Amino acid sequence: MRNVFVTGGAGFIGSHCVISLVKNGYKPIILDNFSNSHQSIIKKLEKITKKKIIYYNVDIRDKKKLKLIFKKHPCYAVIHCAGFKAVGESVENSVCYFENNVGSTLALLECMQKNKIYKIIFSSSATVYDDDKALPLKENGKIGNTKNPYGTSKYIIERILKDLAKSDSRWSIRIARYFNPISNHPTGLIKENPKGALNNLIPYIVKVAQKKISELKIFGKDYNTKDGTGVRDYVHIMDLADGHTAMIKKISHKKGLKIYNFGTGKGWSVLEVVKAFEKQTGISIPYKFTKRRKGDVAISICSPKKALKELNWKAKYDLDHAIIDIKKIL
Ligand code: NAD
Ligand code: UFG
């Protein structure tokens, strides 16, 4: 059975990847410092997968510890999800974001190189795309005019990986550009559960549904979109997790660097998401309009065609299905 290291494997995306890997016959090993996740997730993952999950409480920047783990377990490939992701926080403390996101990636690459492991999947983001003029966004579209240090850290890492692939032909590098991951495992046992503040639309809607906050703030109603609110491409986390397994399955087929978008190719406005949530749950979501959030684009929708063609991956679940699964955590 092939070991796949999942950095950040206790977090939202990494934990769902762990489930998909087990389902497909791989042995995930979690490397996480629990800076934005909880150790209790391990037991939940074991309950869902019915397998013992090996994990290490380790900061990926700690090269000494990393070296010991790589010595102990032969590793087939690494899925690198570890990193900080709060856009607002990254503006307030950019050095910390570069230090953690870029620093951990460099430490990881160095350790992989020393142990002759040359297969890596990197969690990147739609945020690296330059603008929303050429919709749907394609992998070869313009990138780099990032709006905040978080996005810049993803862009810098992509550049480092591109140069690495050029300079050493042994590497198989896959860059996964996520659009808007939402929802949770259908059991509701695991979900997005950050230690820090929430940032994203769906977790806020859930808080309103649970009556923990009184209303949703909708950031802007004057965008050039169907109803004036921001449009995004929401992808079910289980689909996204299976996308990682699809990349792992094919990673030895082609060396070099490949980039894939992971989204549905369909856009939903904030108001449409609210309406869909109300329809599926029967819970009313009061909202009010506020000013635009700094750094937001009007529309972000991807072309997922490359992932379909090369990985045979396609999102199976739509927004309604994602909300049906969210009902399990209400
Ligand atoms: P998350 O915060 O839930 O998970 C990240 C995990 O990494 C956490 O468990 C955290 O404890 C761990 N971590 C952070 N720094 C670490 C370090 N130095 N050493 C070890 N562990 C460390 O976030 P997520 O939503 O699961 O995102 C995973 C990755 O995907 C991130 O790199 C994020 O930037 C990227 N991404 C997320 C989204 C999204 O909407 N969730 C969108 C695009 C890209
Ligand atoms: N929104 C609101 N109110 C809220 C939260 C969000 O109106 O309380 C709106 C936003 O303005 C935007 C849409 O809902 O129009 C989606 O916002 P999210 O914060 O859920 O998601 P983003 O598209 O801003 O960003 C997400 C991740 C980033 C990632 C990006 C692209 O948070 O890490 O998708 O992948 F980079």
Side-chain angles (χ1 to χ4, degrees):
M1 200 180 275
R2 282 171 165 165
N3 291 335
V4 176
F5 288 7
V6 186
T7 76
F12 175 45
I13 295 168
S15 59
H16 288 84
C17 288
V18 164
I19 297 171
S20 177
L21 286 168
V22 172
K23 197 173 68 189
N24 285 277
Y26 293 93
K27 189 169 175 189
I29 295 176
I30 294 175
L31 315 184
D32 201 301
N33 65 357
F34 301 100
S35 53
N36 198 34
S37 50
H38 306 265
Q39 217 147 321
S40 56
I41 193 147
I42 305 294
K43 284 265 162 302
K44 294 175 186 168
L45 287 172
E46 290 181 338
K47 195 168 174 188
I48 292 170
T49 60
K50 298 188 177 63
K51 290 269 189 289
K52 177 103 191 105
I53 302 291
I54 300 175
Y55 75 97
Y56 288 91
N57 185 344
V58 60
D59 192 309
I60 307 302
R61 290 166 292 183
D62 185 340
K63 293 185 195 174
K64 270 193 195 146
K65 259 197 184 175
L66 213 54
K67 190 176 156 193
L68 292 176
I69 298 166
F70 271 82
K71 280 274 165 286
K72 188 159 177 201
H73 304 276
C75 164
Y76 176 68
V78 178
I79 298 179
H80 180 37
C81 294
F84 292 155
K85 62 162 183 177
V87 172
E89 214 175 70
S90 80
V91 177
E92 281 153 33
N93 200 346
S94 60
V95 174
C96 171
Y97 265 66
F98 292 126
E99 217 279 315
N100 192 39
N101 292 2
V102 183
S104 66
T105 306
L106 289 175
L108 177 67
L109 293 173
E110 188 185 317
C111 188
M112 288 177 69
Q113 228 163 9
K114 281 189 179 148
N115 287 281
K116 300 192 168 33
I117 315 291
Y118 296 107
K119 298 183 185 74
I120 185 169
I121 291 172
F122 170 61
S123 294
S124 191
S125 164
T127 191
V128 298
Y129 284 111
D130 228 3
D131 54 40
D132 57 358
K133 288 191 188 78
L135 291 165
L137 296 159
K138 294 200 184 78
E139 288 85 348
N140 58 5
K142 215 170 147 216
I143 64 166
N145 183 21
T146 48
K147 307 280 186 299
N148 51 65
Y150 165 71
T152 308
S153 76
K154 293 290 171 192
Y155 174 70
I156 291 172
I157 297 167
E158 286 205 8
R159 283 300 309 265
I160 291 170
L161 292 172
K162 276 176 201 163
D163 284 351
L164 181 62
K166 263 191 216 153
S167 69
D168 185 342
S169 60
R170 287 172 295 185
W171 282 91
S172 288
I173 299 173
R174 304 294 179 259
I175 291 176
R177 291 190 186 143
Y178 309 149
F179 279 67
N180 287 59
I182 55 164
S183 197
N184 41 267
H185 187 261
T187 57
L189 263 180
I190 62 166
K191 57 177 181 175
E192 184 164 17
N193 189 17
K195 282 187 174 156
L198 295 174
N199 293 290
N200 302 121
L201 178 63
I202 298 283
Y204 268 109
I205 293 179
V206 167
K207 289 255 179 243
V208 177
Q210 293 169 329
K211 310 250 178 296
K212 290 182 181 161
I213 49 178
S214 59
E215 60 189 5
L216 173 74
K217 286 184 189 139
I218 298 185
F219 303 138
K221 57 171 179 179
D222 57 351
Y223 284 108
N224 188 15
T225 59
K226 43 190 145 186
D227 57 24
T229 65
V231 170
R232 295 290 182 275
D233 184 336
Y234 295 94
V235 56
H236 195 301
I237 187 71
M238 294 313 300
D239 275 330
L240 182 59
D242 287 342
H244 289 74
T245 310
M247 283 185 281
I248 290 283
K249 282 182 182 167
K250 298 240 161 132
I251 199 161
S252 64
H253 292 200
K254 194 154 175 57
K255 290 192 176 167
L257 180 135
K258 285 189 157 278
I259 304 172
Y260 296 104
N261 283 337
F262 287 97
T264 63
K266 291 194 191 77
W268 296 77
S269 74
V270 177
L271 280 174
E272 284 174 332
V273 174
V274 170
K275 295 280 165 278
F277 191 92
E278 290 181 328
K279 186 173 145 230
Q280 289 300 332
T281 62
I283 302 170
S284 146
I285 302 296
Y287 59 82
K288 76 168 178 203
F289 291 107
T290 63
K291 63 179 192 310
R292 290 181 179 194
R293 185 171 63 178
K294 234 176 133 188
D296 272 357
V297 294
I299 307 178
S300 172
I301 302 173
C302 80
S303 162
K305 283 187 187 158
K306 190 174 169 193
L308 177 62
K309 190 169 166 230
E310 296 186 10
L311 303 171
N312 200 23
W313 177 89
K314 188 176 186 280
K316 293 198 284 282
Y317 307 118
D318 62 8
L319 181 67
D320 286 334
H321 191 110
I323 296 169
I324 289 168
D325 287 338
I326 292 171
K327 275 163 79 176
K328 304 272 173 41
I329 64 160
L330 291 179

